[in-house]
Amino acid sequence: MASNKIQFRSIHELKDPALNTKLAQKEFQNEIPVDEFSGDSEKDSGTSRRDFLKLLGFSTAAVTLAACEAPVIKTIPYVVKPHDIIPGIPNYYASTYFDGYDFASVLVKTREGRPIKIEPNPAANELGRTNARTQAAVLSLYDNDKVKQPKLDGKDETFDKVDDFVLKGLTEAQAGGKRIVVLSHSFASPTFKKLFADFKTKYPTAELVTYDALPHAAALDAAQEVFGQRALPVYDLAKTQLVVSFQADFLSDFNGGSLESSYAIARKPGPQMMRHIQVESNMSLAGANADTRIKLKPSLVNKTLVEVYNGLNGGTSDKIAAGIVKELQEKGSNAVVFADGSKGAQVLAHLINQKLASTAFTGKANFLKEFDGARYQEFLGWMNAGQVGVLITNNVNPIYSSNKGEDFRKALAKVPYVVAVADKKNEMYKAAKAVIPVANWLESWGDMSPQTGVYTLMQPTIQKIYKSRQIEESLLVWMNGKNNAANNYYDYLKANAAGLIGGTTFNKALYGGIIAGGNTASLSYAGGNAAQAVAELGNFKASEMELVLYTKTSMGDGTQANNPWLQELPDPISRLSWDNYLTISPKDAERLGLENDLNARMQLDGSVVNLTANGVTLKDVPVFIQPGQAEGSVGLALGYGKKDSGAVADNGVNAYPLFDGSNLIVSNIKLDKTGEDHEFAGMQLQNTLMGRYEIAREVPLESYLNVDFNDEELGWNKPLEYHTIGGALPAGKIDLWDAFDDTDGPHFNLSVDLNSCTGCGACIIACQAENNVPVVGKAEIRMSRDMYWLRIDRYYSAIEKLETREVVDRGLNAAELYGGPFTEGILNHPADNPDVIFQPVMCQHCNHAPCETVCPVAATSHGKQGQNQMAYNRCIGTRYCANNCPYKVRRFNWFTYNLNDKFDFHQNNDLGRMVLNPDVVVRTRGVMEKCSMCIQMTQNTILEAKKEGRVIKDGEFSTACVNACPTGAMKFGDMNDKSSKVRALYNDNRRYTLLEEIGTKPNVFYHTKVRNRKENIV
């Protein structure tokens, strides 16, 4: 047995041990409301499809009729076919994804000229890793809610007339000595910077000012003080043996990027496996992956950080800090410390790393964040003083994302010419006199210098869908005049790039997407005032309730808030979608009378509060009781509640009015219960796996290293045995089924390492994009009708709380009862501070699949390559297969999700449907669907190798989820290739299969999670 701890998915499971059974019973209880949601004319027939099939008795005639439902759609061939497009063959283009917040060097997959999928650029290594937002960015291209053409005084106008208006304003401002301000998000583009310098030559009063919704101001200020440069340090954790983090979610949005790739390398189980200590208030993604998580309210996190600094430079009496100091001193340069929340915290972290001589600090600089608070305040002063003649905003919206948004709106009235380069009809759009639709990054040329010695290029992969223009094109027109031959930004970019790419040709650099070059500045320790940092942290006044503002892995700063893929993506920790909410600890919730309840359909409802801080009140904020939240603290995600930004953007509550632009921690929070209830769209209780025995396995590192996995008594991953009349036999030797020969040709297996999976969700969006998985909306998610082919189950695990008699009977000591500085004791409630395990679950592609035997029409069957296949045209929707699936990975297509006004999620118009992958059929209503192991991708690999007359190499076979995984937690390959990685992983001692005892023989297997800490309770 890998662990003696209990596992649970929610607080409700702890309270009601029979909840799992209740969930299973309610899984298929309700009839489909055909009259309400039907996408066809069945509601007028008087007979439902179900009734018709009952009358027909599922005969051959029924199957024939079901197979004839697909509509006939006529296609129009090319009149003159582009020479570089072959119908049915994808083209890939290297490009750079940057939207002002996220960055990645990517490959863009196009079909017949349509970008349909984002893939990581393997040449870019860490800079090519994609998160969920990057994967979803392709859908934002086809957003029908975008601004579609230029506007002047609120009316449609031509670029020619808008340019006349802007040129008039520029001339007047220059003549009157007024400032011309370009207000842009951080934009680390060398060519954009040169272009603005040329623009300033033409208009000497021009100023470039940076504004970011989430500006990383504290981190940049700390870097300015410690390194002498406003650039963020780049870290590499690959060889780090200890990381200690104070409020820093370095596996999500920290320091201008994520460290999950090198983190996964360092977390490989072994004698030198990294140990991770997280000190935080909210349960973050980093905290969920930590070996030891210490939950403290923000003021105490600050105090502990100060004590750790003191302990390394003298001594400390704080027990928690002393324990951390001891471990840091033992690891020395192999340790690193991160901090977030304020400038002082980050300065202390830098100084600690300097003292440790941490090798995780590479000296490289990240240039993606450029905000300067002093400069921005100077700009606001100009505007309020009436000194700004022309303001050009580059897709930023301070009215929404600033705590002084209304003041900004009022100041705009003092600017004669306000020009908004915008993508949505938001507050800036309404305040501007002229509007230019911003070109999507997939429609644009550009370059980036994201970090020291790296240069990337961006290229358009589709013609502009609407009348849009990137800001660089506008600056060229306003600088050179209309209809000037020098207004071609491609030519301008190519000329400037020549000096940045060395001897490489522009086309070669464009082909690879990334090359050595760009900004070569580096960082070194040059200062840092520890006393000032300590004083700053000490000035944070502790209060009864303190707030931590954070960003979700799905929403980020809210740039892509109108992307339904991201709105529906469940949060990895709470497993809730379509919402942000106030996270609160179970104890605080009980004290304040705040509740989360399950209704009769097992749907989650929560209390609603009004939240007040610093004189600002957010009304009607839903409350979610979060295991692991520190008492005395609450958390709230930024990026939600965007008005007039599209059909799905206005979800949740806008928390930016509570954010001062620098500090993510807010003191003196007041909560007032409204008496109302909020309906959550939660997924954590929707999939009831058969059995509850060690679904997600874990083992302490000490046991992993020192105990044989199949030891008779202490074995942590003992192979399953059946006790038969002939004695104990291995599970693989006993079967009710006859095996078939699968050694001819490839036989696919998928390996999932629980030690590497951080729960980021990139694989979910990649699967959705590749396989045309529909968005169903909040109401349907609440009805347990999500359509995801891949989910990431989140399990909590904790030491089971014992009754007093059991404590006496066992004779347990104080350490076991109450725990130590770094551990939980058995008298603590399991929900106080549980461990977390993330487990991706998709169709297990069982070699002996229970679903196949119960299908009355043989719609699901097993392929020779190991995939469990679905013939959609044969399926008549009995759902017998879903009932019989122990893993609950099959989805019933309840409705027609496209061309249905009830589900308007970018699929009800021709533009939105451009994202669909033509290699995967769009499923009709009434069929079952599930993971196919991306059979279209594996078959394409086989056909390409066959055409080239060669043997397929290991690594060529892949799936969408494997390609997207930034940590390498998923590996896919051919088990019949004896040299394949997946075969070697199958022979690893940590390998196990889900629900092995029921004999389904899956082609998906998992690797036990290893925790690098000593367990108090044995």
Side-chain angles (χ1 to χ4, degrees), residues 746 748 865 938-947 952 957:
F748 299 120
Q865 296 171 351
T938 56
Q939 290 305 111
N940 181 68
T941 301
I942 292 170
L943 292 174
E944 287 296 318
K946 185 180 291 185
K947 284 193 298 184
I952 298 171
F957 286 122

Side-chain angles (χ1 to χ4, degrees), residues 94-108:
S95 191
T96 298
Y97 169 63
F98 180 71
D99 63 357
Y101 186 70
D102 289 303
F103 169 90
S105 178
V106 298
L107 301 180
V108 182

Side-chain angles (χ1 to χ4, degrees), residues 427-475:
E427 293 89 344
M428 272 307 306
Y429 167 93
K430 294 176 181 178
K433 294 184 179 179
V435 177
I436 295 176
V438 64
N440 187 274
W441 67 280
L442 289 165
E443 304 169 322
S444 305
W445 287 102
D447 63 353
M448 294 288 290
S449 183
Q451 69 176 228
T452 302
V454 176
Y455 181 70
T456 68
L457 286 166
M458 177 190 296
Q459 62 177 315
T461 57
I462 189 173
Q463 290 289 336
K464 291 185 176 68
I465 296 174
Y466 291 118
K467 296 177 181 177
S468 59
R469 195 166 73 182
Q470 59 189 108
I471 191 171
E472 295 93 335
E473 294 176 293
S474 294
L475 291 178

Side-chain angles (χ1 to χ4, degrees), residues 836-891:
V836 179
I837 307 176
F838 296 108
Q839 184 175 54
V841 180
M842 65 296 291
C843 174
Q844 303 292 290
H845 295 273
C846 310
N847 288 308
H848 295 163
C851 56
E852 296 171 10
T853 57
V854 295
C855 181
V857 293
T860 182
S861 59
H862 208 72
K864 192 172 180 61
Q865 296 171 351
Q867 291 139 317
N868 175 262
Q869 300 172 343
M870 279 296 305
Y872 299 123
N873 280 356
R874 293 185 63 87
C875 179
I876 57 174
T878 65
R879 293 184 285 160
Y880 293 169
C881 55
N883 279 325
N884 220 37
C885 174
Y887 307 101
K888 301 308 171 193
V889 291
R890 305 180 75 88
R891 298 288 177 264

Side-chain angles (χ1 to χ4, degrees), residues 32 39-40 42 49 65-73 772 774 787 789 870-877 891-898 920-929:
I32 179 171
D40 52 34
E42 285 180 5
R49 181 179 182 184
L65 286 169
C68 295
E69 292 182 351
V72 175
I73 300 176
N772 302 332
M787 292 301 297
W789 286 13
M870 279 296 305
Y872 299 123
N873 280 356
R874 293 185 63 87
C875 179
I876 57 174
R891 298 288 177 264
F892 181 66
N893 203 316
W894 290 93
F895 305 114
T896 302
Y897 295 108
N898 61 324
V920 181
V921 67
V922 176
R923 283 75 63 186
T924 56
R925 184 169 68 87
V927 303
M928 298 300 303
E929 56 181 84

